[in-house]
Amino acid sequence: MKILDLFIQSLRAISTHKRRNAFSSFGIAWGVAAVLILAGWGVGLEKFMKEGMNAMGEDIIFIFPGHTSEGIGGYRAGRTVFLYPEDIDVIRAYASRLKIIIPVDNFELRVGHGTKTDDRDVRGVMPDAKTVRKLNPERGRFITPDDLANKRRVCVIGSSTAEEFFPEGEDPLGSEMRLGGVRFTVVGVLPAKEQMSNVGTRDNELTFIPFSTGRSLFAGRRPLWCVMAKAFNPDQYEQAIAQIRKALAPKYHFSPTDEEAVFILAMAMYTKMLDTFSAAISIFVTVVGALTLAIGGIGVMNMMLVSVNERVGEIGVRRAVGGARRWILAQFLTETFLLTVAAGTVGLVLGLLVLFGVSKLPTPEYIPLPILSWEVTLVAVVVMIATGIISGITPARRAASIPPVHAIKGNLRIFMPKTAKRRALLPFPGLFGEIVSQAIDDIRMNRLRSVLTGFGVFWGVAAVALLMGWGIGMQDRMIEDISQLGGRRTTLYGRRIESDVSGLKRAEYLRITEQDIEDIKTNAWYVEHVGPEIWPSFLVVEYGGQARSIHTLGVMPESKVIRNFGVARGRFINPRDIDERRKVCVIGSSVKQKLFGAKPAVGETVRVKGKAFKVVGVMTEKGEQNSWHTSLDDDKILIPYSTARILTGRRYPRYLQLHPTLAMPYDEIEKRVKATILRNHETDKEDALGMYSALEAQEEIGKVMLGMTAFLGGVGVITLLIGGVGVANVMFVSVAQRTREIGIRRASGARRNHIFLQFLSEAMIICLTGGTAGALLAIMISRGLGALSLPRFFAAPKVNALMLGLIIGFIVGVGVISGLLPARKASNCDIIDSLRYE
């Protein structure tokens, strides 16, 4: 036999049963498409996150002022370490692993153009900031060395600043802006950025000026805001950080191992965590897609096994006229391979069309889109080819192993299990029980085929549960991170009240008063807890001969709920502490470890800013936080609000923390709270009051994760439907093979509805059994992943009760749909024609 003859015969065999082979190839087509879509989505998510993370700049090292945590050489702990421009030369002379080191100033100035004014952050930067921070103007230019040398009054503005201060149609380039009352010329406008990370204000809202100009006009001898650096090799950022500390330690008299003396933030560390997170997602979704394709291969293998059973006589004739076993093996392998490749090609085209169509949808910028890559396409093709070969091995070996004598006789008993004996099963009484019992017996008579058929539904249900469960798990993980700092925490703070005379330099700041606090407590029923806060900043805390500079907060008892503080030992601040202005404190877990070690802290006395405070509680450890303001909660020390007012001499709280009810939408709460406070201050300028809520963040996360869950769940649902198509295909084959049996049963008195219910029951039983097993597998995988130490930010899938209910509905629906048409065909068989059928 020639190779060409082999292909021709294989194509003829495939074309003999067009509908059956088309249905069985659906699984392959969708499996290939699923690999492209899911793996492409993983690539798209990775690119989205990396671009968002690197929008601020790649592998930057930020150096901020800090506080010494230990004394050395007669110098006490708790001293503030500031950074100055001359420190750049000190670091550059010692830190050989750094290729770029630049100073940065930050000024909060009154920014204006025309009749519009607002308080904005203005950064004084060097020309190298363009490279380090990816500040490439969309129009105009960036700050140049000439601007720096001549202290020119020029600025580069972010996209949001340009939109806010310049009406549509007005070109910012060449226009003048007022920065702190000084006129600057706009020489560049930055493009809009989607940043996942930022230090301080986002680039879209910033204004950049030459470092020398900012120093001469606004800074004088004021310390630097920070220093930015970049290492030659990003993988050596830890050695670079050590060199920075060693360079500054002799000048400012602190230990080179004191990590709190200068706060250093290396973005390369977060990039590595992001790479691990992206790799985990890519592996997860690619494995799901590959298994979907593998299950499609099982469907093809199932149909090829049916084909072998039907063509036993043909195989016998070919063996009798001299056909070698290897050619029988080759033909069935070729048939399976051609069927797989043809279906896979359709799947490739389908996947490409889906990826192209999704990329053109008007989706929000914060939702990542799938991206086609050659690596993903290669993976899909390799898995497709492997599936085609593996799917054909078992049917081909079975066909080649049939003895010629049995093959010529068309003897199928050689494939029947020896224990395949009918046994009456009656799980339900009456006629319905008899029908179900008959359906179970028929499934048992074709165990292998039934098991392979159920695999499609099995993995379809597992895919739905795992993909949707992963979306739910990620959402819960993100909300848990927000709730760690207070799930409903809403922060209010006063801002500048703009004068009615536009451009007026002097303006009054809105300060939250006791009347504001009392009005909200009394009249705002939609706010459950109210807690003003005083921020004494970093105070020196002394105990047992050691002193540390620790972030101190003056809080109310309500802060325990608002900020989600737990107490591991002792108690929290209570109303009596507030009323009597007691000198007591509650310390974070890290503070306890640094000051007391293994020794109990409750009942001990520490000195805060030289005053004796009794430790009444130690907070529960929160560990790593994805978000923090000024310090981690474990590094804080809390004192009574009333005591903090006396200690600092401050009359007004810095922030007002609220814990709103969930019975009213946040938008309405924000509107009412602002109206109450602004009315007290006799102003209608909403910009005078800043407001941020964790509820708003949760709402935004919910939108993003809902879209992602719906997308992934849709892929899983289609996989389940393809599994249902496989069940329907096998049931059609079963009807064709059992036509004579149907005729005998009809002739002996069975009604059409009895035949209908029997075949429908078979499809339902296969779907329910496979679906239940798939749901159990998903639960086991989700719990197994939940017990593992997963990469940071990556969450295990969660299969909750609602999802299980939806899955059960899907299983029942797929069972009904897959069995309905075959059952109708069986029940509509003519008795005479059925009895004549061979």
Side-chain angles (χ1 to χ4, degrees), residues 1 13 39 124 132 176 203 281 400 441 523 534 554 557 566 601 620 721 805 832 834:
M1 181 182 289
V132 177
E176 287 190 344
D203 291 350
I281 291 178
D441 277 345
N523 302 319
I534 294 285
T620 304
L721 292 177
I832 304 298
S834 299

Side-chain angles (χ1 to χ4, degrees), residues 126-394:
M126 307 289 281
D128 284 340
K130 176 183 178 181
T131 303
V132 177
R133 291 275 283 100
K134 290 189 175 181
L135 300 173
N136 299 303
E138 185 177 47
R139 289 179 291 161
R141 64 173 178 84
F142 197 68
I143 293 163
T144 64
D146 285 343
D147 296 332
L148 199 70
N150 296 314
K151 299 181 181 179
R152 289 175 178 164
R153 297 178 181 181
V154 294
C155 65
V156 178
I157 60 177
S159 59
S160 297
T161 302
E163 291 176 3
E164 183 174 347
F165 286 91
F166 294 89
E168 187 176 355
E170 183 179 356
D171 190 2
L173 292 181
S175 300
E176 287 190 344
M177 293 187 71
R178 300 182 301 276
L179 308 182
V182 181
R183 297 183 180 275
F184 280 70
T185 302
V186 179
V187 296
V189 180
L190 298 174
K193 280 187 178 183
E194 289 295 325
Q195 290 181 234
M196 287 185 62
S197 62
N198 61 284
V199 176
T201 307
R202 295 182 181 274
D203 291 350
N204 292 342
E205 301 170 358
L206 284 173
T207 299
F208 298 90
I209 62 175
F211 178 79
S212 57
T213 307
R215 278 270 123 185
S216 62
L217 290 176
F218 309 118
R221 280 298 300 166
R222 195 168 73 175
L224 295 172
W225 181 63
C226 79
V227 173
M228 289 192 303
K230 195 168 185 177
F232 285 101
N233 186 349
D235 294 332
Q236 297 179 345
Y237 71 89
E238 292 180 347
Q239 295 93 320
I241 290 174
Q243 287 185 345
I244 293 169
R245 287 201 172 96
K246 287 180 180 179
L248 296 173
K251 179 180 178 180
Y252 292 106
H253 309 289
F254 64 84
S255 171
T257 60
D258 188 352
E259 296 184 358
E260 298 178 25
V262 284
F263 176 68
I264 301 179
L265 178 66
M267 298 306 296
M269 177 179 65
Y270 293 96
T271 302
K272 285 186 175 181
M273 287 192 294
L274 180 61
D275 289 341
T276 304
F277 171 69
S278 301
I281 291 178
S282 298
I283 292 172
F284 175 74
V285 294
T286 303
V287 167
V288 172
L291 286 176
T292 301
L293 177 54
I295 296 301
I298 290 177
V300 172
M301 180 176 67
N302 195 18
M303 282 298 100
M304 292 307 299
L305 287 173
V306 172
S307 180
V308 170
N309 291 352
E310 293 176 344
R311 295 161 62 187
V312 170
E314 172 196 334
I315 294 170
V317 172
R318 294 186 59 189
R319 290 294 307 277
V321 297
R325 292 182 59 182
R326 66 177 180 274
W327 288 109
I328 303 295
L329 184 72
Q331 179 173 345
F332 280 89
L333 271 176
T334 303
E335 288 181 26
T336 309
F337 184 75
L338 289 177
L339 190 63
T340 303
V341 170
T345 302
V346 173
L348 282 172
V349 174
L350 175 63
L352 293 175
L353 289 175
V354 170
L355 292 179
F356 178 78
V358 170
S359 67
K360 299 301 180 181
L361 292 176
T363 55
E365 295 181 349
Y366 51 77
I367 295 181
L369 296 175
I371 294 177
L372 177 66
S373 67
W374 290 111
E375 293 84 357
V376 170
T377 306
L378 181 61
V379 168
V381 172
V382 169
V383 176
M384 176 187 69
I385 293 173
T387 301
I389 295 173
I390 295 172
S391 300
I393 290 176
T394 299

Side-chain angles (χ1 to χ4, degrees), residues 3-61:
I3 300 297
L4 180 59
D5 295 334
L6 185 66
F7 274 91
I8 293 174
Q9 290 183 13
S10 298
L11 290 174
R12 286 176 179 173
I14 292 173
S15 63
T16 303
H17 299 284
K18 296 184 180 66
R19 186 189 66 182
R20 186 171 77 188
N21 290 327
F23 280 176
S24 63
S25 62
F26 270 147
I28 295 291
W30 176 246
V32 173
V35 172
L36 282 178
I37 294 170
L38 290 175
W41 182 81
V43 173
L45 179 62
E46 180 179 3
K47 181 181 178 182
F48 174 81
M49 297 181 70
K50 282 188 175 181
E51 287 181 351
M53 179 67 75
N54 294 331
M56 185 176 62
E58 296 181 16
D59 306 319
I60 306 176
I61 299 175

Side-chain angles (χ1 to χ4, degrees), residues 314-530:
E314 172 196 334
I315 294 170
V317 172
R318 294 186 59 189
R319 290 294 307 277
V321 297
R325 292 182 59 182
R326 66 177 180 274
W327 288 109
I328 303 295
L329 184 72
Q331 179 173 345
F332 280 89
L333 271 176
T334 303
E335 288 181 26
T336 309
F337 184 75
L338 289 177
L339 190 63
T340 303
V341 170
T345 302
V346 173
L348 282 172
V349 174
L350 175 63
L352 293 175
L353 289 175
V354 170
L355 292 179
F356 178 78
V358 170
S359 67
K360 299 301 180 181
L361 292 176
T363 55
E365 295 181 349
Y366 51 77
I367 295 181
L369 296 175
I371 294 177
L372 177 66
S373 67
W374 290 111
E375 293 84 357
V376 170
T377 306
L378 181 61
V379 168
V381 172
V382 169
V383 176
M384 176 187 69
I385 293 173
T387 301
I389 295 173
I390 295 172
S391 300
I393 290 176
T394 299
R397 290 184 61 186
R398 172 168 286 191
S401 65
I402 301 175
V405 175
H406 293 286
I408 292 174
K409 294 179 180 179
N411 183 12
L412 297 178
R413 292 185 179 277
I414 58 173
F415 296 131
M416 299 296 182
K418 294 181 179 179
T419 58
K421 180 181 178 182
R422 288 186 179 271
R423 292 180 293 178
L425 297 175
L426 194 60
F428 301 103
L431 180 61
F432 178 74
E434 184 179 349
I435 292 174
V436 173
S437 176
Q438 183 65 42
I440 294 175
D441 277 345
D442 289 332
I443 292 172
R444 289 179 59 251
M445 290 296 293
N446 298 279
R447 284 180 193 163
L448 179 60
R449 188 170 72 186
S450 300
V451 169
L452 294 178
T453 303
F455 259 114
V457 179
F458 164 79
W459 181 247
V461 170
V464 170
L466 290 175
L467 291 173
M468 292 184 66
W470 183 74
I472 293 173
M474 288 295 296
Q475 179 176 351
D476 289 348
R477 176 65 178 271
M478 292 181 180
I479 291 177
E480 284 176 6
D481 290 337
I482 294 175
S483 299
Q484 191 180 34
L485 305 179
R488 302 188 214 171
R489 182 161 67 102
T490 301
T491 304
L492 277 76
Y493 54 94
R495 301 180 65 191
R496 191 187 297 269
I497 303 176
E498 186 176 344
S499 174
D500 292 332
V501 181
S502 178
L504 190 65
K505 296 181 183 178
R506 296 185 61 184
E508 179 186 357
Y509 271 89
L510 186 148
R511 300 185 184 277
I512 297 174
T513 64
E514 294 298 325
Q515 180 184 348
D516 297 330
I517 299 171
E518 190 61 31
D519 282 351
I520 294 177
K521 283 184 177 181
T522 305
N523 302 319
W525 61 267
Y526 41 85
V527 176
E528 297 177 356
H529 300 283
V530 180

